Amino acid sequence: MNESSLIRNTAAVLKLPALGFNIARYNIGGSSNNVIDDGGQEIAMKTSKEMLEYKTMESYWLDWFSTDPKTKSWNWNADAKQRKMLSLASGLGVNVLEAYSNSPPWWMTKNRATAGGDKGTEDNLVASYIDQFALYLATVVSEAKTRWGINFNYIEPFNEPTSSTWEFPATQEGCHFEIATQNEVVNRLRFHLDQLKLQNVNVSVSDENSPTQALASLTSMSKNATVMKTVGKVNTHGNDGTAAYRGSDRVALRKLVRSSSLKLWDSNYGDDDATGLTLAQSISLDMNEMGVSAFIYDQVLNSGVLGLIQCNPWVNWMGEANPKYYVMAHYSRHIRPGMEILGTDDINTVAAYDSTNYVLAIVRVNPGAEETKQMNIQDFMTSLPYRVDKLPTRINTWTTQTNSTNSYYVDSGIRDPAPVFDVVFPAASIITFEVIWSVKSSRKLAYSKIG
């Protein structure tokens, strides 16, 4: 693609409604092209022909000779492009940051590779390097704060760790970790974070490839009280490969996480449905059944049906947005940080309340044929200790019809402010309602506490 075409496509993308994302995840890499002189024997990383260059994440720690980050064993000029993106995101309103690792530095692995081990069912981290791996992650978080002014809230040492797919030559960095090894890494990571005065940085586990596997891993880890004291958050992927997760373990995972007083994120989601209907249903399931406090789409820029925006980063090309971009906008623009998620008996509906600005946001997906549904505002307020005492000032609505290129994220105007109203949901559509009360003095004018 020539430069003028790239500019035209980029300009088209810039006309999209902003998504308002407030979370960014940063991949701490394990790859480098340096050669280590090990007593006269030259050692270098074993590379995978299946892993594209842009998936090779650069390591800051180059060799085992020194743990001091000020020595030449470390390269703090590495990974400049990803660090630049992180800095830009922080400047544009991202206020929650998580660092994560797909693989330890290559020289810590058994086969000197980051693209999977020789056996995908066995640990690829050399046991004697468990402490160094934990130190590496903690040091990057510390140096990010002092060198770049980046303050991470969370650090996740794994990605799909119990999966057997991380076998060389894989298409990206990946490493298998048995539960016992995960426990050791988590304990040592917490130790090194504390030593570096990073007590406010929480450790996340374990970013398994589905809620079912996350439940199995967390169940095993929960048997170790010492480990659980070091954990601040649970991460899970919301998909199996490129297919959305539709298993039955969301509720069980939610119960286990809550019994441990932890947060739960869908930290990595993607699907192969360009319309966004699968995405909308997944968000509803994850929020209503699994109780996640964050939903992260990890294929924002990718080719074909995977990306919110079609993009081939390896050839510097950016194309048009898929319909799923506009679907995501319904949730990310209207279900905002700090809002309280409300209970609902409709699995296709997500509702949240902003008690500061007196706004009730309701997002509902209709994946089937056209239907008419009655909406009752009070039904969404029953899970809160409040009762609506006044009619809303206005109700704004937005509609996306995924089967019509002319109906992406359309502002449908202002409905008559009524507590109960009928809505026609077009086939394959998403509608967002913002119910607004205009209250300038006492909160009691908008609602009163029950009991």
Side-chain angles (χ1 to χ4, degrees):
M1 169 172 282
N2 60 42
E3 184 176 358
S4 61
S5 297
L6 179 61
I7 291 173
R8 284 198 300 272
N9 276 326
T10 303
V13 169
L14 292 176
K15 295 178 182 178
L16 297 171
L19 294 177
F21 287 167
N22 75 304
I23 297 173
R25 303 187 78 224
Y26 175 78
N27 186 188
I28 299 176
S31 300
S32 60
N33 58 11
N34 61 298
V35 177
I36 301 175
D37 183 353
D38 184 21
Q41 180 183 2
E42 291 188 340
I43 299 175
M45 185 180 80
K46 185 166 67 171
T47 59
S48 167
K49 294 181 179 179
E50 303 299 321
M51 188 163 71
L52 295 175
E53 183 179 357
Y54 82 99
K55 292 187 177 182
T56 302
M57 310 310 296
E58 296 178 339
S59 173
Y60 295 103
W61 199 355
L62 303 180
D63 57 50
W64 57 78
F65 296 125
S66 177
T67 61
D68 184 349
K70 296 181 177 62
T71 66
K72 63 181 181 180
S73 287
W74 299 73
N75 175 21
W76 295 108
N77 293 318
D79 201 26
K81 291 181 179 179
Q82 192 186 187
R83 285 190 285 110
K84 179 64 174 179
M85 288 295 293
L86 186 64
S87 178
L88 289 171
S90 297
L92 291 171
V94 166
N95 58 6
V96 179
L97 299 174
E98 180 167 64
Y100 71 99
S101 168
N102 286 335
S103 170
W106 63 269
W107 51 269
M108 295 185 188
T109 65
K110 294 177 180 178
N111 64 344
R112 307 295 194 193
T114 59
D118 290 338
K119 291 185 178 181
T121 56
E122 297 180 359
D123 285 346
N124 198 34
L125 174 64
V126 176
S128 60
Y129 279 132
I130 287 176
D131 186 67
Q132 285 91 331
F133 175 46
L135 174 63
Y136 171 55
L137 298 180
T139 300
V140 173
V141 172
S142 177
E143 294 295 314
K145 180 178 181 179
T146 57
R147 290 175 181 269
W148 310 315
I150 296 296
N151 294 290
F152 285 105
N153 305 90
Y154 301 98
I155 173 68
E156 163 68 88
F158 317 113
N159 177 58
E160 301 182 0
T162 60
S163 172
S164 61
T165 60
W166 304 127
E167 191 163 289
F168 188 87
T171 59
Q172 69 168 68
E173 292 188 348
C175 185
H176 182 92
F177 291 87
E178 290 293 306
I179 295 296
T181 308
Q182 290 185 50
N183 287 344
E184 291 187 66
V185 170
V186 168
N187 277 334
R188 296 310 298 167
L189 178 55
R190 182 70 269 164
F191 170 81
H192 287 298
L193 288 170
D194 292 344
Q195 289 293 106
L196 292 169
K197 302 186 185 307
L198 296 171
Q199 287 85 356
N200 61 329
V201 178
N202 288 294
V203 177
S204 306
V205 296
S206 283
D207 246 325
E208 295 288 5
N209 63 3
S210 71
T212 294
Q213 188 55 56
L215 176 62
S217 293
L218 187 61
T219 298
S220 296
M221 296 181 83
S222 297
K223 298 175 183 178
N224 190 320
T226 302
V227 169
M228 293 306 294
K229 288 180 181 179
T230 70
V231 175
K233 179 166 64 71
V234 175
N235 288 343
T236 182
H237 291 195
N239 51 280
D240 280 322
T242 59
Y245 176 78
R246 290 296 181 264
S248 59
D249 288 319
R250 281 186 172 91
V251 174
L253 179 59
R254 175 181 187 165
K255 290 180 179 178
L256 180 56
V257 170
R258 289 194 172 182
S259 70
S260 302
S261 301
L262 298 173
K263 292 182 179 180
L264 176 60
W265 281 13
D266 184 336
S267 55
N268 188 310
Y269 177 86
D271 65 50
D272 54 6
D273 175 12
T275 70
L277 290 174
T278 301
L279 169 63
Q281 290 174 293
S282 295
I283 293 174
S284 293
L285 286 166
D286 281 355
M287 297 188 77
N288 289 318
E289 291 189 349
M290 201 155 64
V292 299
S293 59
F295 183 96
I296 298 170
Y297 196 92
D298 79 322
Q299 303 287 340
V300 174
L301 301 176
N302 208 332
S303 58
V305 299
L306 290 174
L308 298 182
I309 299 173
Q310 296 187 39
C311 177
N312 290 334
W314 53 93
V315 293
N316 198 31
W317 173 80
M318 183 175 288
E320 302 298 323
N322 282 319
K324 67 198 323 179
Y325 181 99
Y326 301 90
V327 171
M328 174 58 80
H330 282 266
Y331 298 92
S332 60
R333 286 174 66 92
H334 300 283
I335 310 291
R336 300 300 301 158
M339 297 179 77
E340 184 165 359
I341 303 301
L342 309 182
T344 172
D345 58 3
D346 181 4
I347 199 61
N348 289 321
T349 298
V350 175
Y353 186 67
D354 179 347
S355 60
T356 300
N357 298 302
Y358 314 111
V359 175
L360 170 64
I362 305 167
V363 185
R364 184 176 188 273
V365 56
N366 173 30
E370 179 182 301
E371 65 177 1
T372 299
K373 185 174 178 62
Q374 186 179 83
M375 309 294 287
N376 187 327
I377 295 171
Q378 187 60 54
D379 287 347
F380 295 98
M381 304 296 286
T382 54
S383 61
L384 286 175
Y386 313 125
R387 180 177 64 250
V388 176
D389 291 337
K390 281 193 171 186
L391 292 178
T393 307
R394 66 182 186 274
I395 302 175
N396 298 336
T397 66
W398 292 262
T399 302
T400 291
Q401 291 179 250
T402 63
N403 56 7
S404 171
T405 57
N406 296 320
S407 300
Y408 291 158
Y409 202 68
V410 175
D411 185 340
S412 306
I414 301 175
R415 292 180 173 274
D416 294 332
V420 180
F421 50 92
D422 290 334
V423 180
V424 176
F425 287 84
S429 68
I430 295 91
I431 299 182
T432 293
F433 308 87
E434 279 195 354
V435 184
I436 302 171
W437 288 267
S438 179
V439 179
K440 297 182 180 179
S441 55
S442 172
R443 174 181 291 187
K444 294 180 180 179
L445 293 176
Y447 49 73
S448 59
K449 289 189 177 182
I450 296 175

